[in-house]
Amino acid sequence: MTTTKQPLTLTLGDQLRIFGRSGLEQAAWNYPRLQNLGFCYIMIPAIQRLYADRTAQAAAATRHLTSFNTMPYMQSLITGVTLSLEEQRANGHPVSDDEINAVKVGMMGSLAGVADPVWWGTWRPILSAFAASLALSGLGILGPIVFFVGWNVVRLGFRWWAQRWGYRRGVQIVEDLSRGILQKLTLGASIVGMFIMGALVPRWTRISLKPVLVTAHHATYDLQALLDQLLPGLLPLGLTLGCVWLLRRHVKPFWLLLGILGLSILGYWGGLFK
Amino acid sequence: MNVSILAVLIIAFLAGIGGVVDEWEVHQPIIACTLVGVALGHPLVGVTLGASLQLITLGWMNIGTVVGPDPALAAVVTAWWVAGPAHLPVALGVILALPLAWVGQWITRGMRQLIIPVVNQADQAAAVGNLRRINHLQLLCAGLQGLRTLLPAALLMLLPAAWLQTGYQTLPDVLRGGFRVAAGMLVVVSFALVINTMATRQLWPFFFLGFALATDQHLSLIALGIIGVGLAVLYLGWHGNSGAGPTTGAATPTSATDDDLDRELDDL
């Protein structure tokens, strides 16, 4: 290397290959080191581009096999930042193994904390409930199609944008994130999520009471109709709040499911539900 | 029939991968049941089961190191039972999904242990710079995740349809009726799970606003979504201006709930 060295950069093809690989990030999920193999697998096109000799490649692969775990789609942002660090290192900047690992570890926890409620707590429940309601209201196969397309367009778009943003901004991302944009986004998503959950409770829970009350003057009242006059969805609301209360007291979801099942059978047997 | 069985097994394999990588979401019942229904020539039965089951599973999630109940095995096998030769009713399929999800959860946990030797081989491959071998090991793991659902599904599909039919016929009326009631009521657990991941004192009013507005049947789900987004934008604007600054104001409530959430999920 006596001539002036051309700086090593990742091509668009490398970035696309890395993006493609990110779809298998969690496949090797294992207990002590979590998504470590997945992260290393994603980095391999970059390792091949940036390090020519085998010992450097071995060192890079080993460094990305340390334990790692984040919300899978946020991994794209962390990958982007890591790519920029690896690129600097390959071009002779003093970036140590520890620094690269510290950036990964520093980002993974906080990003997962803001991303889990958005993706799993808001977007998936809302989109899938919307798709299910389309399917059950007679539009049939359109429901699954809406869910599949809606989910994956947003997911792939986010992953690509996050990887590009992370790669271009590098470690400066940490500053951008500290301004609290993501926290604000999470708060906003949680508001929409809570609102929609509130809306789904009366719309999608099916409970109807059977008993009919007969007064002394032989007027009959349907108990369910009476409750609906008061407030439709009152029973589903009570059940939902009861389940939240039990979850907060560390009752496992499976016990809640079994409890509801038992309650349904008992209620049907006792003539309370129809 | 043989082609459809092969198709169902392929769907089971893809759902097995999907349930762990959580990317394309083909393991979600609304997709997986529909695909099985299409493969068996009863797409509408598949969609109906998938949509009903989706409402019950929408709160099941893998967060952090915690494995949630597994919709993949439950969706594929119940769809086979409901849209396949046994022709069980949708409500029974929904109930049968619960034990299957529990079994699937245990298999998923077991797989995360079972895969450790493969990951250790990747260390050896990395030490000598054998990148191609790391690629192969990762793909091998993906294949194992597919088998995680494919093998138990294939085993359960061996159950003769006649047995399932007789089993259903001999169910007492009380249980049949009770299952039908439960199929409509179980959704509250999912709602509670989702609410539990987000709820803080400042967010509860939005839940009740949504509830109250939804009891008016004239508002469609899309209209409600627009109202929800509008409220969020208004709240964030108001919150940002009145607080000490966007960072302190917005960050504290979410980080506090994350801690609670992590603690709770650790106990699951």
Side-chain angles (χ1 to χ4, degrees), chain B residues 242-256:
Chain B
S242 68
T247 327
T248 50
T252 37
T254 40
S255 53

Side-chain angles (χ1 to χ4, degrees), chain A residues 21-34 36-38 40-41 44 47-48 54 57-58 61-62 65 69 72-73 113 116-117 120-122 124-125 128-133 135-136 140-141 143-144 147-148 151-152 155-156 159 178-179 183-184 186-188 190-207 231-233 236-237 239-241 243-244 247-248 250 252-254 256-257 260-261 263-265 268-269 273-274, chain B residues 20-26 28 30-31 34 44 47-48 51-52 54-55 58 60-65 67 69 95 98 101-102 105 109 112-113 115-116 119-120 122-123 126-131 134-135 138-139 141-142 145 173-175 177-189 191-196 198-199 202-204 206-207 209-211 213-217 219 221-222 224-225 227-229 231-232 235-236 247 251 254 258 264 267-268:
Chain A
R21 281 169 176 244
S22 64
L24 275 183
E25 197 226 351
Q26 299 203 92
W29 217 106
N30 62 93
Y31 265 122
R33 289 183 293 166
L34 320 166
N36 71 327
L37 178 51
C40 182
Y41 169 76
I44 281 177
I47 295 174
Q48 280 168 329
R54 212 163 161 105
Q57 288 186 352
T62 307
L65 275 172
N69 190 31
Y73 310 160
D116 282 328
W120 310 135
T122 309
R124 191 170 68 182
S128 68
F130 175 64
S133 70
L136 291 174
I141 213 109
F147 176 70
F148 185 77
W151 179 266
N152 286 299
R155 173 183 71 91
L156 292 172
R159 267 194 179 279
S178 68
R179 266 182 246 137
Q183 279 79 3
K184 223 171 170 178
T186 305
L187 181 63
S190 301
I191 289 173
V192 179
M194 284 294 276
F195 182 85
I196 295 290
M197 280 303 126
L200 290 177
V201 167
R203 287 277 166 104
W204 283 109
T205 319
R206 273 175 302 155
I207 309 177
L231 179 62
L237 179 68
L239 272 178
T240 308
L241 294 178
C243 287
V244 174
L247 283 173
R248 294 261 145 130
H250 307 290
K252 294 179 186 184
F254 262 116
L256 293 180
L257 291 168
I260 297 279
L261 185 60
L263 193 70
S264 308
I265 295 168
Y268 182 80
W269 178 67
F273 304 125
K274 61 183 175 198
Chain B
V20 171
V21 299
D22 250 333
E23 300 282 338
W24 294 90
E25 300 294 302
V26 288
Q28 293 289 308
I30 196 163
I31 307 274
T34 305
L44 276 182
V47 172
T48 309
S52 313
Q54 186 68 43
L55 290 170
L58 57 80
W60 300 356
M61 39 192 138
N62 301 323
I63 287 188
T65 59
V67 184
I95 302 298
L98 302 181
W102 185 74
Q105 186 181 21
R109 283 197 189 133
R112 291 182 171 193
Q113 306 278 357
I115 228 162
I116 294 169
V119 177
N120 290 341
D123 289 330
V128 294
N130 190 347
L131 300 181
I134 296 179
N135 287 340
Q138 174 77 7
L139 295 176
C141 290
Q145 301 295 358
D173 254 359
V174 176
L175 285 187
F179 287 167
R180 208 185 54 243
V181 173
M185 224 152 84
L186 283 167
V187 294
V188 296
V189 178
F191 297 152
L193 279 168
V194 175
I195 292 165
N196 194 35
M198 298 184 289
Q202 74 177 141
L203 292 183
W204 273 110
F206 295 101
F207 171 81
L209 279 174
F211 176 81
L213 283 170
T215 54
D216 179 355
Q217 294 293 336
L219 290 169
L221 206 53
I222 293 182
L224 287 166
I227 298 176
V229 173
L231 284 174
Y235 183 80
L236 286 178
T247 327
T254 40
D258 289 338
E264 248 148 65
D267 294 334
L268 286 185

Side-chain angles (χ1 to χ4, degrees), chain B residues 83-200:
Chain B
H87 289 298
L88 295 182
V90 169
L92 188 61
V94 169
I95 302 298
L96 287 172
L98 302 181
L100 289 171
W102 185 74
V103 171
Q105 186 181 21
W106 280 101
I107 299 176
T108 309
R109 283 197 189 133
M111 190 53 93
R112 291 182 171 193
Q113 306 278 357
L114 214 69
I115 228 162
I116 294 169
V118 183
V119 177
N120 290 341
Q121 284 195 32
D123 289 330
Q124 294 165 16
V128 294
N130 190 347
L131 300 181
R132 184 192 288 257
R133 185 155 167 73
I134 296 179
N135 287 340
H136 291 163
L137 289 168
Q138 174 77 7
L139 295 176
L140 171 69
C141 290
L144 288 174
Q145 301 295 358
L147 294 180
R148 170 188 76 95
T149 301
L150 170 70
L151 292 179
L155 212 61
L156 288 165
M157 283 164 65
L158 287 175
L159 283 179
W163 292 12
L164 291 165
Q165 263 301 330
T166 343
Y168 173 62
Q169 303 295 349
T170 51
L171 272 185
D173 254 359
V174 176
L175 285 187
R176 267 194 250 182
F179 287 167
R180 208 185 54 243
V181 173
M185 224 152 84
L186 283 167
V187 294
V188 296
V189 178
S190 257
F191 297 152
L193 279 168
V194 175
I195 292 165
N196 194 35
T197 61
M198 298 184 289
T200 55

